[in-house]
Each structure stands twice: as structure tokens, then as C-alpha cells.
Short mmCIF file of all heavy atoms in Angstrom, two decimals:
data_model
loop_
_atom_site.label_atom_id
_atom_site.label_comp_id
_atom_site.label_asym_id
_atom_site.label_seq_id
_atom_site.Cartn_x
_atom_site.Cartn_y
_atom_site.Cartn_z
N MET A 1 109.60 74.46 102.83
CA MET A 1 110.73 74.38 101.96
C MET A 1 111.79 73.43 102.56
O MET A 1 112.13 73.55 103.73
CB MET A 1 111.26 75.86 101.70
CG MET A 1 112.47 75.85 100.69
SD MET A 1 113.07 77.56 100.49
CE MET A 1 111.85 78.15 99.44
N SER A 2 112.30 72.50 101.81
CA SER A 2 113.25 71.59 102.31
C SER A 2 114.58 72.42 102.52
O SER A 2 114.85 73.44 101.97
CB SER A 2 113.47 70.41 101.42
OG SER A 2 114.19 70.94 100.22
N ASN A 3 115.46 71.84 103.40
CA ASN A 3 116.81 72.43 103.59
C ASN A 3 117.50 72.54 102.31
O ASN A 3 118.25 73.51 102.15
CB ASN A 3 117.65 71.62 104.70
CG ASN A 3 117.08 71.79 106.01
OD1 ASN A 3 116.36 72.96 106.28
ND2 ASN A 3 117.35 71.00 106.98
N ARG A 4 117.42 71.57 101.32
CA ARG A 4 118.20 71.58 100.20
C ARG A 4 117.66 72.76 99.32
O ARG A 4 118.44 73.47 98.61
CB ARG A 4 118.00 70.25 99.35
CG ARG A 4 118.74 70.09 98.07
CD ARG A 4 118.75 68.71 97.58
NE ARG A 4 119.15 68.75 96.28
CZ ARG A 4 118.39 68.43 95.22
NH1 ARG A 4 117.16 68.07 95.41
NH2 ARG A 4 118.87 68.58 94.09
N ARG A 5 116.34 72.90 99.30
CA ARG A 5 115.77 73.99 98.48
C ARG A 5 116.24 75.31 99.08
O ARG A 5 116.43 76.35 98.25
CB ARG A 5 114.25 73.85 98.41
CG ARG A 5 113.83 72.72 97.44
CD ARG A 5 112.33 72.76 97.14
NE ARG A 5 111.92 73.98 96.57
CZ ARG A 5 111.77 74.23 95.24
NH1 ARG A 5 111.96 73.13 94.39
NH2 ARG A 5 111.46 75.42 94.87
N LYS A 6 116.17 75.41 100.37
CA LYS A 6 116.64 76.71 101.03
C LYS A 6 118.06 77.09 100.71
O LYS A 6 118.37 78.19 100.32
CB LYS A 6 116.56 76.54 102.62
CG LYS A 6 115.19 76.75 103.18
CD LYS A 6 115.20 76.69 104.65
CE LYS A 6 113.85 76.67 105.19
NZ LYS A 6 113.85 76.43 106.65
N ALA A 7 118.96 76.05 100.70
CA ALA A 7 120.35 76.21 100.31
C ALA A 7 120.43 76.58 98.87
O ALA A 7 121.20 77.70 98.60
CB ALA A 7 121.16 74.91 100.60
N GLN A 8 119.61 76.08 97.99
CA GLN A 8 119.72 76.45 96.59
C GLN A 8 119.21 77.82 96.43
O GLN A 8 119.70 78.73 95.64
CB GLN A 8 118.85 75.56 95.82
CG GLN A 8 119.47 74.18 95.58
CD GLN A 8 118.53 73.16 94.86
OE1 GLN A 8 117.16 73.43 94.93
NE2 GLN A 8 118.97 72.29 94.16
N ALA A 9 118.06 78.29 97.18
CA ALA A 9 117.61 79.77 97.14
C ALA A 9 118.70 80.74 97.68
O ALA A 9 118.86 81.73 96.97
CB ALA A 9 116.30 79.80 97.98
N ILE A 10 119.31 80.39 98.70
CA ILE A 10 120.36 81.26 99.25
C ILE A 10 121.56 81.43 98.23
O ILE A 10 122.06 82.36 98.01
CB ILE A 10 120.77 80.73 100.62
CG1 ILE A 10 119.67 81.00 101.69
CG2 ILE A 10 122.14 81.44 101.01
CD1 ILE A 10 119.98 80.31 103.04
N GLN A 11 121.84 80.19 97.64
CA GLN A 11 122.93 80.18 96.69
C GLN A 11 122.55 81.07 95.51
O GLN A 11 123.33 82.00 94.96
CB GLN A 11 123.14 78.78 96.22
CG GLN A 11 124.47 78.62 95.49
CD GLN A 11 124.74 77.21 95.22
OE1 GLN A 11 123.82 76.34 94.94
NE2 GLN A 11 126.06 76.70 95.23
N ALA A 12 121.34 81.11 95.06
CA ALA A 12 120.89 81.85 93.87
C ALA A 12 120.82 83.31 94.30
O ALA A 12 121.30 84.20 93.50
CB ALA A 12 119.52 81.46 93.47
N LEU A 13 120.44 83.68 95.57
CA LEU A 13 120.32 85.01 95.92
C LEU A 13 121.85 85.61 96.12
O LEU A 13 122.21 86.71 95.68
CB LEU A 13 119.67 85.18 97.34
CG LEU A 13 118.13 84.97 97.10
CD1 LEU A 13 117.50 84.83 98.54
CD2 LEU A 13 117.54 86.17 96.33
N ASP A 14 122.80 84.81 96.61
CA ASP A 14 124.20 85.16 96.82
C ASP A 14 124.79 85.42 95.37
O ASP A 14 125.58 86.34 95.21
CB ASP A 14 124.92 84.14 97.53
CG ASP A 14 124.73 84.15 98.97
OD1 ASP A 14 124.07 85.14 99.56
OD2 ASP A 14 125.07 83.02 99.70
N ALA A 15 124.47 84.59 94.48
CA ALA A 15 125.06 84.79 93.05
C ALA A 15 124.46 86.20 92.49
O ALA A 15 125.11 86.88 91.76
CB ALA A 15 124.48 83.69 92.19
N MET A 16 123.18 86.49 92.83
CA MET A 16 122.60 87.80 92.36
C MET A 16 123.45 88.94 92.93
O MET A 16 123.56 90.02 92.39
CB MET A 16 121.25 87.90 92.74
CG MET A 16 120.33 87.10 91.85
SD MET A 16 118.60 87.25 92.26
CE MET A 16 118.29 88.95 91.52
N CYS A 17 123.88 88.81 94.17
CA CYS A 17 124.81 89.90 94.88
C CYS A 17 126.03 90.13 94.05
O CYS A 17 126.54 91.13 94.20
CB CYS A 17 125.01 89.43 96.26
SG CYS A 17 123.56 89.50 97.42
N ASP A 18 126.52 89.06 93.38
CA ASP A 18 127.75 89.24 92.62
C ASP A 18 127.58 89.85 91.35
O ASP A 18 128.50 90.25 90.59
CB ASP A 18 128.39 87.89 92.52
CG ASP A 18 128.95 87.38 93.84
OD1 ASP A 18 129.12 88.22 94.77
OD2 ASP A 18 129.00 86.09 93.98
N GLN A 19 126.30 89.92 90.87
CA GLN A 19 126.02 90.41 89.52
C GLN A 19 125.64 91.84 89.54
O GLN A 19 124.53 92.19 89.60
CB GLN A 19 124.79 89.59 88.81
CG GLN A 19 125.14 88.11 88.58
CD GLN A 19 123.92 87.40 88.09
OE1 GLN A 19 122.97 87.97 87.84
NE2 GLN A 19 124.11 86.05 87.91
N LEU A 20 126.55 92.66 89.58
CA LEU A 20 126.32 94.09 89.85
C LEU A 20 126.78 94.96 88.53
O LEU A 20 127.86 94.61 88.16
CB LEU A 20 127.08 94.55 91.02
CG LEU A 20 126.85 93.83 92.37
CD1 LEU A 20 127.72 94.42 93.37
CD2 LEU A 20 125.28 94.05 92.68
N PRO A 21 125.94 95.81 88.15
CA PRO A 21 124.66 96.10 88.65
C PRO A 21 123.71 95.23 87.73
O PRO A 21 123.98 94.79 86.66
CB PRO A 21 124.43 97.57 88.30
CG PRO A 21 125.22 98.00 87.20
CD PRO A 21 126.43 96.93 87.31
N ILE A 22 122.35 95.16 88.14
CA ILE A 22 121.37 94.42 87.43
C ILE A 22 120.47 95.46 86.80
O ILE A 22 119.91 96.32 87.39
CB ILE A 22 120.49 93.63 88.38
CG1 ILE A 22 121.40 92.63 89.11
CG2 ILE A 22 119.42 92.90 87.60
CD1 ILE A 22 120.74 91.93 90.29
N PRO A 23 120.24 95.45 85.33
CA PRO A 23 119.55 96.44 84.71
C PRO A 23 118.07 96.29 85.08
O PRO A 23 117.58 95.29 85.47
CB PRO A 23 119.67 96.11 83.30
CG PRO A 23 120.77 95.09 83.07
CD PRO A 23 120.92 94.52 84.43
N GLY A 24 117.37 97.48 85.20
CA GLY A 24 115.99 97.51 85.44
C GLY A 24 115.61 98.08 86.78
O GLY A 24 116.47 98.51 87.46
N GLY A 25 114.35 98.05 87.07
CA GLY A 25 113.86 98.33 88.42
C GLY A 25 112.92 99.64 88.38
O GLY A 25 112.39 99.90 89.34
N CYS A 26 112.97 100.30 87.31
CA CYS A 26 112.08 101.51 87.13
C CYS A 26 111.58 101.60 85.63
O CYS A 26 112.29 101.33 84.70
CB CYS A 26 112.87 102.75 87.46
SG CYS A 26 111.93 104.31 87.27
N LEU A 27 110.24 101.85 85.54
CA LEU A 27 109.61 102.00 84.26
C LEU A 27 109.86 103.31 83.62
O LEU A 27 109.64 103.50 82.49
CB LEU A 27 108.10 101.66 84.33
CG LEU A 27 107.70 100.35 84.86
CD1 LEU A 27 106.18 100.23 85.10
CD2 LEU A 27 108.24 99.20 83.92
N ASP A 28 110.42 104.24 84.39
CA ASP A 28 110.52 105.66 83.88
C ASP A 28 111.95 106.17 83.55
O ASP A 28 112.20 107.28 83.11
CB ASP A 28 109.90 106.70 84.87
CG ASP A 28 108.44 106.54 85.11
OD1 ASP A 28 107.77 106.13 84.09
OD2 ASP A 28 108.01 106.74 86.25
N CYS A 29 112.95 105.20 83.76
CA CYS A 29 114.29 105.63 83.56
C CYS A 29 115.15 104.30 83.31
O CYS A 29 114.63 103.20 83.52
CB CYS A 29 114.93 106.50 84.51
SG CYS A 29 115.30 105.57 86.03
N ASN A 30 116.33 104.40 82.88
CA ASN A 30 117.21 103.20 82.81
C ASN A 30 117.86 102.95 84.06
O ASN A 30 119.14 103.06 84.06
CB ASN A 30 118.19 103.53 81.62
CG ASN A 30 117.63 103.57 80.29
OD1 ASN A 30 116.70 102.83 79.91
ND2 ASN A 30 117.95 104.59 79.45
N ALA A 31 117.14 102.61 85.08
CA ALA A 31 117.65 102.32 86.33
C ALA A 31 118.57 101.05 86.41
O ALA A 31 118.45 100.13 85.52
CB ALA A 31 116.55 102.22 87.36
N GLU A 32 119.36 101.02 87.40
CA GLU A 32 120.04 99.78 87.68
C GLU A 32 119.94 99.44 89.11
O GLU A 32 119.66 100.23 89.89
CB GLU A 32 121.58 100.10 87.47
CG GLU A 32 121.87 100.31 85.96
CD GLU A 32 123.41 100.61 85.78
OE1 GLU A 32 124.08 100.99 86.71
OE2 GLU A 32 123.89 100.28 84.61
N GLN A 33 120.07 98.11 89.45
CA GLN A 33 119.77 97.64 90.74
C GLN A 33 121.03 96.86 91.34
O GLN A 33 121.81 96.34 90.55
CB GLN A 33 118.68 96.60 90.75
CG GLN A 33 117.35 97.13 90.24
CD GLN A 33 116.49 95.95 89.95
OE1 GLN A 33 115.72 95.62 90.62
NE2 GLN A 33 116.50 95.56 88.68
N THR A 34 121.32 97.03 92.61
CA THR A 34 122.33 96.37 93.21
C THR A 34 121.74 95.56 94.36
O THR A 34 120.71 95.98 94.85
CB THR A 34 123.44 97.28 93.86
OG1 THR A 34 122.82 98.33 94.57
CG2 THR A 34 124.13 98.06 92.64
N MET A 35 122.28 94.45 94.63
CA MET A 35 121.67 93.63 95.65
C MET A 35 122.83 93.29 96.62
O MET A 35 123.94 92.98 96.37
CB MET A 35 121.16 92.33 95.10
CG MET A 35 120.48 91.40 96.05
SD MET A 35 119.54 90.22 95.18
CE MET A 35 119.11 89.13 96.57
N THR A 36 122.56 93.45 97.96
CA THR A 36 123.54 93.18 99.04
C THR A 36 122.94 92.24 100.08
O THR A 36 121.80 92.18 100.18
CB THR A 36 124.00 94.53 99.65
OG1 THR A 36 122.92 95.20 100.17
CG2 THR A 36 124.78 95.26 98.64
N ARG A 37 123.77 91.57 100.86
CA ARG A 37 123.29 90.85 102.02
C ARG A 37 123.99 91.36 103.21
O ARG A 37 125.23 91.41 103.32
CB ARG A 37 123.60 89.42 101.80
CG ARG A 37 123.20 88.46 102.89
CD ARG A 37 123.59 87.04 102.69
NE ARG A 37 123.01 86.17 103.64
CZ ARG A 37 123.35 84.87 103.86
NH1 ARG A 37 124.17 84.43 102.96
NH2 ARG A 37 122.83 84.21 104.74
N ASP A 38 123.20 91.77 104.35
CA ASP A 38 123.83 92.44 105.45
C ASP A 38 124.35 91.19 106.40
O ASP A 38 124.10 90.05 106.14
CB ASP A 38 122.94 93.46 106.09
CG ASP A 38 121.65 92.86 106.79
OD1 ASP A 38 121.64 91.64 106.97
OD2 ASP A 38 120.75 93.59 107.09
N SER A 39 124.90 91.78 107.51
CA SER A 39 125.47 90.80 108.46
C SER A 39 124.36 89.89 109.10
O SER A 39 124.73 88.82 109.66
CB SER A 39 126.34 91.46 109.53
OG SER A 39 125.43 92.38 110.16
N ASN A 40 123.16 90.34 109.13
CA ASN A 40 122.00 89.59 109.68
C ASN A 40 121.51 88.58 108.58
O ASN A 40 120.52 87.83 108.87
CB ASN A 40 120.84 90.53 110.11
CG ASN A 40 121.28 91.30 111.40
OD1 ASN A 40 122.12 90.76 112.20
ND2 ASN A 40 121.02 92.58 111.28
N GLY A 41 121.91 88.61 107.40
CA GLY A 41 121.51 87.71 106.29
C GLY A 41 120.29 88.19 105.56
O GLY A 41 119.73 87.44 104.83
N VAL A 42 120.04 89.59 105.75
CA VAL A 42 118.86 90.14 105.07
C VAL A 42 119.47 90.75 103.70
O VAL A 42 120.27 91.41 103.72
CB VAL A 42 118.29 91.24 105.98
CG1 VAL A 42 117.11 92.00 105.18
CG2 VAL A 42 117.79 90.76 107.29
N TYR A 43 118.66 90.26 102.66
CA TYR A 43 118.95 90.71 101.34
C TYR A 43 118.18 92.02 101.09
O TYR A 43 117.13 92.25 101.44
CB TYR A 43 118.58 89.73 100.30
CG TYR A 43 119.31 88.40 100.38
CD1 TYR A 43 118.88 87.47 101.12
CD2 TYR A 43 120.54 88.28 99.63
CE1 TYR A 43 119.64 86.16 101.15
CE2 TYR A 43 121.29 87.16 99.70
CZ TYR A 43 120.91 86.17 100.46
OH TYR A 43 121.64 84.97 100.52
N ARG A 44 118.92 92.96 100.45
CA ARG A 44 118.38 94.26 100.14
C ARG A 44 118.70 94.63 98.72
O ARG A 44 119.90 94.52 98.19
CB ARG A 44 119.04 95.30 101.10
CG ARG A 44 118.55 96.70 100.95
CD ARG A 44 119.39 97.67 101.81
NE ARG A 44 119.44 97.15 103.15
CZ ARG A 44 118.74 97.46 104.19
NH1 ARG A 44 117.80 98.38 104.02
NH2 ARG A 44 118.93 96.99 105.45
N ILE A 45 117.71 95.05 97.93
CA ILE A 45 117.78 95.58 96.66
C ILE A 45 117.84 96.99 96.57
O ILE A 45 116.74 97.64 97.11
CB ILE A 45 116.80 94.96 95.61
CG1 ILE A 45 117.05 93.45 95.46
CG2 ILE A 45 116.87 95.56 94.30
CD1 ILE A 45 115.93 92.67 94.73
N THR A 46 118.74 97.75 96.00
CA THR A 46 118.77 99.24 95.91
C THR A 46 118.61 99.44 94.36
O THR A 46 119.36 98.88 93.62
CB THR A 46 120.10 99.72 96.47
OG1 THR A 46 120.23 99.36 97.79
CG2 THR A 46 119.97 101.31 96.35
N ILE A 47 117.67 100.47 94.12
CA ILE A 47 117.39 100.87 92.83
C ILE A 47 118.15 102.08 92.55
O ILE A 47 117.86 103.16 93.31
CB ILE A 47 116.00 100.87 92.47
CG1 ILE A 47 115.36 99.53 92.55
CG2 ILE A 47 115.80 101.46 90.96
CD1 ILE A 47 113.80 99.51 92.34
N HIS A 48 119.00 102.27 91.59
CA HIS A 48 119.80 103.51 91.33
C HIS A 48 119.11 104.13 90.08
O HIS A 48 119.32 103.66 88.90
CB HIS A 48 121.24 103.26 90.97
CG HIS A 48 121.89 102.57 92.17
ND1 HIS A 48 122.46 103.17 93.25
CD2 HIS A 48 121.99 101.08 92.42
CE1 HIS A 48 122.88 102.16 94.02
NE2 HIS A 48 122.66 101.10 93.59
N HIS A 49 118.18 105.24 90.26
CA HIS A 49 117.53 105.90 89.14
C HIS A 49 118.51 106.79 88.51
O HIS A 49 119.45 107.33 89.02
CB HIS A 49 116.43 106.67 89.80
CG HIS A 49 115.37 105.76 90.33
ND1 HIS A 49 114.32 105.46 89.62
CD2 HIS A 49 115.25 105.28 91.61
CE1 HIS A 49 113.48 104.63 90.46
NE2 HIS A 49 114.12 104.61 91.62
N GLU A 50 118.19 107.23 87.27
CA GLU A 50 118.92 108.20 86.55
C GLU A 50 118.50 109.60 87.26
O GLU A 50 117.43 109.70 87.71
CB GLU A 50 118.59 108.20 85.01
CG GLU A 50 119.08 107.04 84.20
CD GLU A 50 118.72 107.20 82.82
OE1 GLU A 50 117.56 107.47 82.50
OE2 GLU A 50 119.68 106.88 82.07
N ASP A 51 119.46 110.62 87.10
CA ASP A 51 119.13 111.86 87.74
C ASP A 51 117.97 112.42 87.18
O ASP A 51 117.32 113.28 87.86
CB ASP A 51 120.33 112.88 87.48
CG ASP A 51 121.62 112.39 88.31
OD1 ASP A 51 121.45 111.59 89.33
OD2 ASP A 51 122.71 112.73 88.00
N THR A 52 117.61 112.09 85.88
CA THR A 52 116.41 112.75 85.21
C THR A 52 115.16 111.94 85.42
O THR A 52 114.22 112.34 84.81
CB THR A 52 116.73 112.96 83.70
OG1 THR A 52 117.05 111.60 83.25
CG2 THR A 52 117.89 113.79 83.45
N CYS A 53 115.06 111.01 86.30
CA CYS A 53 113.95 110.07 86.38
C CYS A 53 112.73 110.88 87.02
O CYS A 53 112.75 111.43 88.00
CB CYS A 53 114.32 108.94 87.39
SG CYS A 53 112.88 107.86 87.65
N PRO A 54 111.69 110.97 86.19
CA PRO A 54 110.44 111.66 86.64
C PRO A 54 109.78 111.01 87.92
O PRO A 54 109.36 111.80 88.74
CB PRO A 54 109.52 111.64 85.45
CG PRO A 54 110.02 110.55 84.64
CD PRO A 54 111.44 110.38 84.91
N TRP A 55 109.89 109.70 87.97
CA TRP A 55 109.28 109.01 89.26
C TRP A 55 110.12 109.47 90.47
O TRP A 55 109.57 109.84 91.45
CB TRP A 55 109.39 107.50 89.03
CG TRP A 55 108.76 106.66 90.09
CD1 TRP A 55 107.56 106.52 90.29
CD2 TRP A 55 109.46 106.29 91.31
NE1 TRP A 55 107.23 105.83 91.39
CE2 TRP A 55 108.40 105.66 92.11
CE3 TRP A 55 110.68 106.21 91.77
CZ2 TRP A 55 108.82 105.03 93.29
CZ3 TRP A 55 111.02 105.74 93.04
CH2 TRP A 55 110.06 105.10 93.68
N LEU A 56 111.45 109.38 90.38
CA LEU A 56 112.34 109.83 91.40
C LEU A 56 112.09 111.31 91.80
O LEU A 56 112.04 111.56 93.06
CB LEU A 56 113.79 109.61 91.20
CG LEU A 56 114.80 109.93 92.34
CD1 LEU A 56 114.46 109.05 93.54
CD2 LEU A 56 116.10 109.78 91.81
N ALA A 57 111.82 112.11 90.80
CA ALA A 57 111.66 113.63 91.12
C ALA A 57 110.37 113.70 91.81
O ALA A 57 110.19 114.53 92.75
CB ALA A 57 111.63 114.28 89.76
N GLY A 58 109.37 112.94 91.53
CA GLY A 58 108.11 112.97 92.29
C GLY A 58 108.32 112.55 93.71
O GLY A 58 107.63 113.17 94.60
N ILE A 59 109.01 111.46 93.92
CA ILE A 59 109.34 111.13 95.36
C ILE A 59 109.97 112.19 96.12
O ILE A 59 109.72 112.57 97.31
CB ILE A 59 110.18 109.83 95.41
CG1 ILE A 59 109.43 108.65 94.84
CG2 ILE A 59 110.73 109.54 96.77
CD1 ILE A 59 108.22 108.24 95.69
N GLU A 60 111.02 112.87 95.48
CA GLU A 60 111.82 113.90 96.16
C GLU A 60 110.92 115.11 96.51
O GLU A 60 111.07 115.75 97.48
CB GLU A 60 112.98 114.30 95.29
CG GLU A 60 114.07 113.20 95.19
CD GLU A 60 114.66 112.90 96.43
OE1 GLU A 60 114.86 113.65 97.30
OE2 GLU A 60 115.04 111.68 96.59
N ARG A 61 110.02 115.35 95.50
CA ARG A 61 109.17 116.50 95.71
C ARG A 61 108.17 116.33 96.87
O ARG A 61 107.96 117.14 97.74
CB ARG A 61 108.31 116.74 94.46
CG ARG A 61 107.62 118.10 94.35
CD ARG A 61 107.09 118.39 92.91
NE ARG A 61 106.65 117.23 92.14
CZ ARG A 61 107.04 116.65 91.13
NH1 ARG A 61 108.18 117.23 90.64
NH2 ARG A 61 106.50 115.63 90.56
N ARG A 62 107.58 115.08 97.05
CA ARG A 62 106.78 114.73 98.18
C ARG A 62 107.47 114.75 99.41
O ARG A 62 106.94 115.10 100.51
CB ARG A 62 106.11 113.41 97.84
CG ARG A 62 105.01 113.33 96.91
CD ARG A 62 104.12 112.16 96.87
NE ARG A 62 104.92 110.97 96.35
CZ ARG A 62 104.82 110.53 95.13
NH1 ARG A 62 104.08 111.23 94.18
NH2 ARG A 62 105.66 109.57 94.70
N LYS A 63 108.83 114.37 99.48
CA LYS A 63 109.62 114.37 100.64
C LYS A 63 109.68 115.80 101.22
O LYS A 63 109.63 116.07 102.36
CB LYS A 63 110.98 113.86 100.47
CG LYS A 63 111.14 112.40 100.50
CD LYS A 63 112.74 112.08 100.31
CE LYS A 63 112.91 110.69 100.13
NZ LYS A 63 114.37 110.31 99.94
N GLY A 64 109.81 116.78 100.31
CA GLY A 64 109.93 118.10 100.62
C GLY A 64 108.68 118.66 101.23
O GLY A 64 108.74 119.57 101.93
N GLU A 65 107.54 118.08 100.92
CA GLU A 65 106.24 118.60 101.34
C GLU A 65 105.85 117.93 102.79
O GLU A 65 104.94 118.44 103.38
CB GLU A 65 105.11 118.15 100.37
CG GLU A 65 105.30 118.76 99.01
CD GLU A 65 104.38 118.20 97.99
OE1 GLU A 65 103.61 117.22 98.26
OE2 GLU A 65 104.37 118.75 96.82
N THR A 66 106.60 116.97 103.11
CA THR A 66 106.20 116.20 104.44
C THR A 66 106.76 117.17 105.66
O THR A 66 107.81 117.70 105.74
CB THR A 66 106.95 114.92 104.53
OG1 THR A 66 106.54 114.14 103.41
CG2 THR A 66 106.62 114.15 105.90
N THR A 67 105.76 117.35 106.53
CA THR A 67 106.14 118.07 107.81
C THR A 67 105.85 117.15 108.95
O THR A 67 104.88 116.46 108.93
CB THR A 67 105.29 119.40 107.90
OG1 THR A 67 103.95 119.07 107.82
CG2 THR A 67 105.77 120.37 106.81
N CYS A 68 106.68 117.20 109.94
CA CYS A 68 106.45 116.38 111.10
C CYS A 68 106.27 117.24 112.30
O CYS A 68 106.72 118.23 112.50
CB CYS A 68 107.65 115.49 111.35
SG CYS A 68 107.98 114.31 110.07
ZN1 ZN B 101 113.71 105.83 87.58
#
């Protein structure tokens, strides 16, 4: 990837960080996504599920079953 294309990609990702929230991210609820960039330049997408999301409930249930 050329430096110009890298700069365009970073610019596009930075623009997404300003578009909060972004609809979608889950097929089972009306989730919203937020995107951030940390101090190391790593982009992170966080999906915010509805409280009633069955997929999220399944994840939470499995967390409760995990023993270390
Ligand atoms: Zn969901």
C-alpha cells in the first residue's frame, strides 16, 4: 500500500471515529457501534447491544459457566 493510500485509509478510519454511534453490529438486536483510536494508533470497535439482546444474554450465560 502506498503512503498516499495509507494516509487516505487512516483519514477514513479517523472520520469513522467521529461518526458516533454507527448503527448495526448485531443481527439479534438494534445494536450501535462506537469506534475509537488509542494512543498506540490501534482502532477499536465496540458494539453496544440492547439489554434484551439474546446473543449478549448467551455470552453472559457462558461467562458464568467458565471456571478457572
Ligand atoms: Zn445484540
Side-chain angles (χ1 to χ4, degrees):
M1 183 182 283
S2 70
N3 285 340
R4 183 169 165 247
R5 288 189 59 99
K6 279 184 191 172
Q8 289 174 333
I10 290 171
Q11 193 173 31
L13 290 169
D14 285 344
M16 288 181 71
C17 289
D18 295 334
Q19 295 176 3
L20 303 175
I22 302 165
C26 180
L27 298 175
D28 294 325
C29 74
N30 292 318
E32 295 180 332
Q33 303 164 88
T34 56
M35 186 167 168
T36 55
R37 182 180 183 193
D38 69 18
S39 59
N40 294 318
V42 177
Y43 292 92
R44 182 183 314 261
I45 293 176
T46 303
I47 299 174
H48 305 271
H49 296 267
E50 292 183 312
D51 291 340
T52 57
C53 176
W55 184 87
L56 182 61
I59 293 292
E60 294 297 328
R61 199 168 35 248
R62 282 193 291 268
K63 277 186 191 172
E65 295 169 357
T66 303
T67 56
C68 295

